[in-house]
């Protein structure tokens, strides 16, 4: 299972559950605010997820909810309403690491006895913002750091003897993109086949079970097998999230 967060228009967000086995989708919840997708995590059994969100009047919080819902079973609110730290990672179906440091004084609004919180240093003391939490998740999912320097971190995942998928995280935002965005390139290891730049991909990964690329672009999700020669990608549209009516169905907590 995966959770798709559909952003827009403006500060409106709607969630969907994505069964990657058959590419079916179920609707979740909507609210007006911001969900920081890079700071989230899904439990290994695909039943629950952690997310970090902010609302103009309710501040910011980290929550655990059923996939793909927003209604919190466990929720920690940041009293200052800021967006530093927050989010987390499931370590098992019933345990999770909460992204905070010793200076955070998050208020427990609701806590489910179903989930146990790991010690603060179980994964890392604090990962900071989006790229920090996401970097831990990428490493766990088989991505390797290619290079890291001030203002840019690059990750790579070997897909085959011929292709490597690379994603980069520039430190500064550019017009038309949020600060937590990714740039992608499908690199060819074959000197006779050109690499494929993918500047419009907002997210991408390799589905090892179905041996295909999956990515988000222009409000849509796509799937495609790796190119066999220098003939480019042949994408299949999985779902078009454009033109949807915003439905405020669920308060966050």
């Amino acid at each position: 299972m995966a959770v798709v967060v559909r952003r827009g228009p403006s500060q409106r967000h709607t969630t969907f559950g994505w069964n990657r086995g058959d590419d079916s989708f179920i609707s979740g919840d909507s609210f007006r605010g911001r969900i920081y997708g890079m700071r989230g995590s899904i439990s290994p059994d695909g039943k629950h997820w952690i997310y970090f969100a902010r609302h103009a009047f309710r501040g910011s919080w980290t929550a655990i909810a059923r996939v793909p819902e927003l209604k919190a079973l466990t929720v920690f609110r940041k009293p200052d309403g800021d967006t530093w730290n927050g989010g987390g990672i499931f370590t098992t179906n019933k345990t999770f690491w909460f992204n905070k440091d010793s200076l955070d004084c998050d208020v427990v609004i609701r806590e489910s006895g179903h989930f146990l919180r790991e010690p603060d240093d179980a994964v890392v003391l604090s990962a900071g913002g989006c790229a920090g939490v996401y970097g831990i998740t990428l490493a766990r999912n088989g991505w390797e750091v290619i290079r890291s320097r001030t203002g840019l971190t690059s990750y790579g995942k070997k897909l085959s003897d011929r292709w490597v998928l690379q994603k980069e995280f520039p430190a500064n935002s550019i017009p038309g993109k949020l600060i937590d965005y990714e740039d992608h390139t499908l690199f060819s290891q074959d000197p006779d086949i050109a690499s494929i730049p993918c500047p419009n991909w907002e997210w991408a990964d390799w589905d090892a079970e179905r041996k295909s690329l999956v990515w988000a672009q222009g409000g849509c999700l796509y799937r495609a097998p790796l190119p066999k020669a220098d003939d480019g990608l042949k994408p299949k549209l999985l779902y078009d999230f454009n033109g949807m009516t915003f439905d405020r169905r669920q308060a966050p907590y």
Side-chain angles (χ1 to χ4, degrees):
M1 289 297 295
V3 175
V4 178
V5 180
R6 188 252 185 180
R7 184 173 58 237
S10 187
Q11 291 291 308
R12 298 167 181 175
H13 286 65
T14 303
T15 61
F16 295 83
W18 173 20
N19 186 326
R20 295 185 297 110
D22 60 8
D23 289 330
S24 60
F25 294 84
I26 58 173
S27 59
D29 294 321
S30 300
F31 91 113
R32 188 188 298 272
R34 170 84 187 276
I35 297 176
Y36 295 77
M38 288 184 177
R39 303 191 207 183
S41 172
I42 296 179
S43 59
D45 61 10
K47 294 181 179 180
H48 298 92
W49 69 307
I50 297 173
Y51 70 89
F52 178 66
R54 185 177 186 277
H55 185 271
F57 303 108
R58 305 189 75 166
S60 54
W61 64 92
T62 297
I64 298 178
R66 294 183 180 88
V67 171
E69 299 173 0
L70 291 173
K71 184 177 181 180
L73 303 174
T74 292
V75 58
F76 304 95
R77 181 175 61 83
K78 296 179 71 66
D80 294 335
D82 61 24
T83 57
W84 186 249
N85 298 322
I89 297 171
F90 272 105
T91 51
T92 69
N93 290 328
K94 296 183 180 294
T95 59
F96 68 99
W97 166 77
F98 179 28
N99 178 37
K100 67 181 291 295
D101 60 28
S102 59
L103 299 178
D104 286 333
C105 300
D106 296 77
V107 178
V108 178
I109 302 298
R110 187 180 305 121
E111 196 161 14
S112 169
H114 185 75
F115 308 104
L116 298 176
R117 181 173 156 188
E118 298 273 22
D120 288 344
D121 59 353
V123 178
V124 63
L125 184 59
S126 173
C130 294
V133 180
Y134 197 37
I136 298 171
T137 302
L138 290 175
R140 188 175 65 172
N141 293 340
W143 291 82
E144 298 181 355
V145 175
I146 298 174
R147 58 183 176 274
S148 180
R149 62 180 187 271
T150 302
L152 183 69
T153 303
S154 302
Y155 294 86
K157 177 180 280 190
K158 187 174 181 179
L159 311 184
S160 69
D161 292 337
R162 178 178 291 172
W163 297 103
V164 173
L165 180 60
Q166 179 176 310
K167 59 175 68 204
E168 295 184 335
F169 297 94
N172 299 311
S173 62
I174 63 174
K177 292 188 178 181
L178 298 173
I179 193 168
D180 52 336
Y181 73 92
E182 312 171 31
D183 280 332
H184 297 88
T185 303
L186 191 57
F187 277 101
S188 171
Q189 306 284 74
D190 187 332
D192 297 327
I193 299 178
S195 297
I196 304 174
C198 310
N200 296 319
W201 289 11
E202 301 169 51
W203 165 86
D205 211 329
W206 174 247
D207 187 336
E209 293 184 0
R210 299 180 63 179
K211 293 182 172 55
S212 58
L213 281 165
V214 285
W215 71 91
Q217 177 181 351
C220 300
L221 274 173
Y222 296 92
R223 181 185 294 277
L226 289 173
K228 295 182 179 179
D230 198 8
D231 57 355
L233 289 166
K234 298 178 180 178
K236 173 187 176 182
L237 176 66
L238 301 183
Y239 204 95
D240 185 348
F241 297 91
N242 292 294
M244 300 176 61
T245 302
F246 173 70
D247 181 10
R248 191 174 183 175
R249 293 189 296 269
Q250 178 64 58
Y253 64 86

